Structures are given as structure tokens and as C-alpha cells.
Amino acid sequence: MTPLPDFDTLRWLADHEPDRLEQLQHQLNQEAIAASDGNQEQLTCLVFNLEQQLARCDNPYHRCVVAMGMMRSKLYTLSTIINEPEEFLETAKIIPFRRPAQKPR
């Protein structure tokens, strides 16, 4: 796995070579997804959603707030599933499929 540079190096990349920092982030994300067992599709969707949200941000502080909000939301959902699983046990309403009336020929 690609080693994560120290904070000062990351800060310098953010200030002087943001494209290289973004490339490093993408590479680390892909390595983490590849190393996961059975959650690759879900993690790929999560990273895509994060990238789309961050693309709308206009400064690093906005990006931080958006990322923290997404993490908080996921942690809240996980906490609810663990502590109150009955809230997620819903029964589906089955709606019968009706065929349209056929026209005589």
C-alpha cells in the first residue's frame, strides 16, 4: 500500500500541487477499496458520492465541513442500526401487477 506522507508534505502539496494531492487521494482510495472484503461496490459508490460532493466546494474548509457531515451521517446510521435495529425492519407492501386489457383484433 502507498505510504501516507507526513502532514507537512500533504500541506505543501495542497498549497503548491493540488492535482498531485488529488491523485494521491484517488490512489489511496482505490487501494483501500481493493483491500476490502466484499464491500467494494458499496465503497466505490461512497467514494464517488464523496467526490461529487467535494467537487462543488470552493475552498478547503468547505470540503472539510462537507466530508465531516457525510461521515457524521454514516456514523449516525450505523449507530441507529446497532442500537435500534427494529427501526430498519420494515415489511414491504406488495402491489399486485395488473395486465392491461388487450384490444380485440
Side-chain angles (χ1 to χ4, degrees), residues 64-87:
C64 182
V65 169
V66 167
M68 286 174 42
M70 290 180 69
M71 287 189 298
R72 187 179 309 114
S73 174
K74 292 292 183 184
L75 285 173
Y76 176 76
T77 302
L78 180 60
S79 172
T80 304
I81 290 172
I82 290 171
N83 296 319
E84 302 168 19
E86 61 277 355
E87 285 190 25

Short mmCIF file of all heavy atoms in Angstrom, two decimals, residues 64-87:
data_model
loop_
_atom_site.label_atom_id
_atom_site.label_comp_id
_atom_site.label_asym_id
_atom_site.label_seq_id
_atom_site.Cartn_x
_atom_site.Cartn_y
_atom_site.Cartn_z
N CYS A 64 -13.88 20.25 4.05
CA CYS A 64 -13.79 19.60 5.36
C CYS A 64 -15.18 19.47 5.99
O CYS A 64 -15.53 18.41 6.52
CB CYS A 64 -12.85 20.39 6.26
SG CYS A 64 -12.62 19.66 7.89
N VAL A 65 -15.96 20.54 5.94
CA VAL A 65 -17.29 20.54 6.54
C VAL A 65 -18.19 19.52 5.83
O VAL A 65 -18.93 18.76 6.47
CB VAL A 65 -17.92 21.95 6.51
CG1 VAL A 65 -19.38 21.91 6.88
CG2 VAL A 65 -17.15 22.87 7.45
N VAL A 66 -18.11 19.47 4.51
CA VAL A 66 -18.93 18.52 3.74
C VAL A 66 -18.52 17.08 4.07
O VAL A 66 -19.38 16.21 4.32
CB VAL A 66 -18.80 18.80 2.23
CG1 VAL A 66 -19.36 17.65 1.41
CG2 VAL A 66 -19.51 20.10 1.88
N ALA A 67 -17.22 16.80 4.11
CA ALA A 67 -16.75 15.44 4.41
C ALA A 67 -17.15 15.04 5.83
O ALA A 67 -17.60 13.91 6.06
CB ALA A 67 -15.24 15.36 4.24
N MET A 68 -17.02 15.97 6.78
CA MET A 68 -17.40 15.65 8.16
C MET A 68 -18.90 15.41 8.26
O MET A 68 -19.34 14.51 9.01
CB MET A 68 -16.99 16.79 9.09
CG MET A 68 -15.50 16.83 9.35
SD MET A 68 -14.92 18.24 10.31
CE MET A 68 -16.10 18.42 11.58
N GLY A 69 -19.70 16.16 7.53
CA GLY A 69 -21.14 15.95 7.54
C GLY A 69 -21.52 14.58 7.00
O GLY A 69 -22.40 13.90 7.54
N MET A 70 -20.85 14.16 5.92
CA MET A 70 -21.13 12.84 5.36
C MET A 70 -20.72 11.74 6.34
O MET A 70 -21.45 10.76 6.52
CB MET A 70 -20.40 12.67 4.03
CG MET A 70 -20.97 13.53 2.91
SD MET A 70 -20.10 13.31 1.36
CE MET A 70 -20.59 11.65 0.94
N MET A 71 -19.57 11.90 6.99
CA MET A 71 -19.13 10.90 7.97
C MET A 71 -20.09 10.85 9.16
O MET A 71 -20.43 9.77 9.64
CB MET A 71 -17.72 11.20 8.45
CG MET A 71 -16.66 10.90 7.41
SD MET A 71 -14.97 11.00 8.05
CE MET A 71 -14.85 12.69 8.55
N ARG A 72 -20.53 12.01 9.63
CA ARG A 72 -21.45 12.05 10.75
C ARG A 72 -22.75 11.34 10.40
O ARG A 72 -23.31 10.59 11.20
CB ARG A 72 -21.74 13.50 11.15
CG ARG A 72 -22.55 13.63 12.41
CD ARG A 72 -22.82 15.07 12.81
NE ARG A 72 -21.63 15.90 12.87
CZ ARG A 72 -21.39 16.93 12.05
NH1 ARG A 72 -22.26 17.27 11.13
NH2 ARG A 72 -20.29 17.63 12.16
N SER A 73 -23.24 11.55 9.19
CA SER A 73 -24.47 10.91 8.75
C SER A 73 -24.32 9.39 8.72
O SER A 73 -25.20 8.65 9.18
CB SER A 73 -24.86 11.43 7.37
OG SER A 73 -25.95 10.74 6.86
N LYS A 74 -23.20 8.90 8.17
CA LYS A 74 -22.96 7.45 8.12
C LYS A 74 -22.82 6.87 9.52
O LYS A 74 -23.34 5.78 9.80
CB LYS A 74 -21.71 7.14 7.30
CG LYS A 74 -21.84 7.44 5.83
CD LYS A 74 -22.81 6.50 5.18
CE LYS A 74 -22.88 6.76 3.68
NZ LYS A 74 -23.88 5.93 3.04
N LEU A 75 -22.12 7.57 10.41
CA LEU A 75 -21.97 7.07 11.77
C LEU A 75 -23.29 7.05 12.52
O LEU A 75 -23.57 6.13 13.29
CB LEU A 75 -20.95 7.91 12.53
CG LEU A 75 -19.49 7.66 12.15
CD1 LEU A 75 -18.58 8.68 12.83
CD2 LEU A 75 -19.07 6.25 12.51
N TYR A 76 -24.14 8.05 12.28
CA TYR A 76 -25.46 8.07 12.91
C TYR A 76 -26.29 6.88 12.44
O TYR A 76 -26.94 6.21 13.23
CB TYR A 76 -26.18 9.39 12.61
CG TYR A 76 -27.59 9.41 13.15
CD1 TYR A 76 -27.81 9.60 14.51
CD2 TYR A 76 -28.68 9.20 12.31
CE1 TYR A 76 -29.10 9.60 15.02
CE2 TYR A 76 -29.96 9.19 12.82
CZ TYR A 76 -30.17 9.39 14.17
OH TYR A 76 -31.45 9.38 14.67
N THR A 77 -26.25 6.62 11.13
CA THR A 77 -27.00 5.48 10.58
C THR A 77 -26.49 4.17 11.18
O THR A 77 -27.29 3.32 11.59
CB THR A 77 -26.88 5.44 9.05
OG1 THR A 77 -27.37 6.67 8.52
CG2 THR A 77 -27.66 4.29 8.46
N LEU A 78 -25.17 4.01 11.25
CA LEU A 78 -24.59 2.81 11.82
C LEU A 78 -24.97 2.66 13.29
O LEU A 78 -25.35 1.57 13.74
CB LEU A 78 -23.07 2.82 11.67
CG LEU A 78 -22.31 1.63 12.22
CD1 LEU A 78 -22.75 0.35 11.52
CD2 LEU A 78 -20.82 1.85 12.07
N SER A 79 -24.91 3.74 14.04
CA SER A 79 -25.29 3.71 15.45
C SER A 79 -26.76 3.31 15.62
O SER A 79 -27.10 2.52 16.50
CB SER A 79 -25.06 5.08 16.08
OG SER A 79 -25.57 5.13 17.38
N THR A 80 -27.62 3.84 14.77
CA THR A 80 -29.04 3.51 14.85
C THR A 80 -29.27 2.04 14.53
O THR A 80 -30.07 1.37 15.20
CB THR A 80 -29.85 4.40 13.89
OG1 THR A 80 -29.59 5.77 14.20
CG2 THR A 80 -31.34 4.13 14.00
N ILE A 81 -28.58 1.53 13.53
CA ILE A 81 -28.74 0.11 13.16
C ILE A 81 -28.29 -0.78 14.30
O ILE A 81 -28.93 -1.79 14.62
CB ILE A 81 -27.95 -0.21 11.87
CG1 ILE A 81 -28.63 0.45 10.68
CG2 ILE A 81 -27.83 -1.71 11.65
CD1 ILE A 81 -27.84 0.37 9.40
N ILE A 82 -27.21 -0.41 14.97
CA ILE A 82 -26.69 -1.24 16.07
C ILE A 82 -27.59 -1.14 17.30
O ILE A 82 -27.91 -2.15 17.93
CB ILE A 82 -25.25 -0.82 16.42
CG1 ILE A 82 -24.32 -1.23 15.28
CG2 ILE A 82 -24.79 -1.44 17.73
CD1 ILE A 82 -22.91 -0.69 15.41
N ASN A 83 -28.00 0.07 17.65
CA ASN A 83 -28.73 0.28 18.90
C ASN A 83 -30.24 0.09 18.78
O ASN A 83 -30.90 -0.23 19.77
CB ASN A 83 -28.43 1.66 19.46
CG ASN A 83 -26.98 1.81 19.83
OD1 ASN A 83 -26.39 0.90 20.38
ND2 ASN A 83 -26.40 2.94 19.50
N GLU A 84 -30.80 0.32 17.61
CA GLU A 84 -32.25 0.21 17.42
C GLU A 84 -32.55 -0.50 16.09
O GLU A 84 -33.11 0.10 15.17
CB GLU A 84 -32.88 1.60 17.43
CG GLU A 84 -32.60 2.37 18.71
CD GLU A 84 -32.97 3.84 18.60
OE1 GLU A 84 -33.74 4.20 17.70
OE2 GLU A 84 -32.46 4.61 19.41
N PRO A 85 -32.19 -1.77 15.98
CA PRO A 85 -32.35 -2.46 14.70
C PRO A 85 -33.80 -2.60 14.26
O PRO A 85 -34.08 -2.71 13.06
CB PRO A 85 -31.71 -3.83 14.94
CG PRO A 85 -31.73 -4.00 16.42
CD PRO A 85 -31.64 -2.62 17.00
N GLU A 86 -34.74 -2.56 15.20
CA GLU A 86 -36.15 -2.72 14.82
C GLU A 86 -36.65 -1.59 13.93
O GLU A 86 -37.62 -1.75 13.19
CB GLU A 86 -37.04 -2.86 16.06
CG GLU A 86 -37.04 -1.67 17.00
CD GLU A 86 -35.87 -1.65 17.98
OE1 GLU A 86 -35.09 -2.61 18.02
OE2 GLU A 86 -35.75 -0.66 18.70
N GLU A 87 -36.00 -0.43 13.97
CA GLU A 87 -36.41 0.67 13.10
C GLU A 87 -36.16 0.37 11.63
O GLU A 87 -36.78 0.95 10.75
CB GLU A 87 -35.67 1.96 13.48
CG GLU A 87 -36.19 2.60 14.74
CD GLU A 87 -35.59 3.98 14.96
OE1 GLU A 87 -35.19 4.62 13.97
OE2 GLU A 87 -35.54 4.40 16.11
#
